Amino acid sequence: MVPLDRSHVQAVDHLVDALVTAAGVPAAARSSEAHITVVAYAGLPGGPARRAVAPVAAATAPFTTHAHGYGLFTGTDPADLSLHVPVVRSGPLDALHRAACDALVAAGAEIAGWSAPGAWSPHITLVDRNLDPSQLGAAVAWLARRPHPSWCVTVDRVALAGSGQTRGRRHGPVLRLGAPAGPPPIHPEGAST
């Protein structure tokens, strides 16, 4: 996942607070920590996943991406409704996604079908599940009367959230993009940076 910077986390929080208050969205439908999911996977514990993704992060220069407008996802169950801000796919974002998928698969992970390169729809979740169609309709009606977000998001780090279902959990280790993949270098006299 790409954790959002403080200003974008605050923007997401304000938007969701307003949806809860103005549109009657249940507070339980709040998304977990604001982020862009890079890849969802299962079958690989945290340590091996971190070792697999660390070289990808190290080889990827920081970049910016754009998030704009609103979208929704549905599922087989009516409770699968969710509301989000779509993230525009770009060359650097697609390259990070594909490299992370390849590294995780090579390490033994199984990529979630909706997260595979051909199906992936990057987004910032606003309201995640626990919505019924009438609540979703009220939320969309409220959103249609306000300016929609148009955000420029800096992607300079990725975080591991763990495999399998991670909804509601905080992220784990953070890997800086473009930073060395191994331990910090040792300098003369044993000092490290």
Side-chain angles (χ1 to χ4, degrees), residues 3 5 50 53-62 96 154-159 171 173-181:
D5 60 50
R50 179 175 167 56
V53 174
V56 172
T60 303
L96 174 62
T154 299
V155 179
D156 60 358
R157 58 202 166 117
V158 293
H171 65 73
V174 174
L175 303 169
R176 296 269 172 209
L177 297 189

Side-chain angles (χ1 to χ4, degrees), residues 60-78:
T60 303
F63 59 93
T64 58
T65 193
H66 300 279
H68 185 77
Y70 300 111
L72 65 99
F73 291 124
T74 62
T76 55
D77 186 306

Side-chain angles (χ1 to χ4, degrees), residues 35-150:
H35 66 277
I36 301 168
T37 300
V38 176
V39 61
Y41 64 93
L44 192 63
R50 179 175 167 56
R51 287 188 293 278
V53 174
V56 172
T60 303
F63 59 93
T64 58
T65 193
H66 300 279
H68 185 77
Y70 300 111
L72 65 99
F73 291 124
T74 62
T76 55
D77 186 306
D80 288 341
L81 296 172
S82 67
L83 196 56
H84 64 272
V85 176
V87 174
V88 178
R89 288 181 67 161
S90 64
L93 186 60
D94 281 350
L96 174 62
H97 176 253
R98 184 168 296 283
C101 285
D102 291 348
L104 288 164
V105 167
E110 182 179 327
I111 305 302
W114 60 267
S115 188
W120 181 55
S121 295
H123 61 278
I124 300 167
T125 303
L126 298 173
V127 179
D128 193 14
R129 302 174 185 242
N130 297 312
L131 283 173
D132 64 38
S134 65
Q135 292 165 330
L136 177 64
V140 169
W142 182 82
L143 290 170
R145 293 188 304 268
R146 66 175 310 281
H148 54 78
S150 187

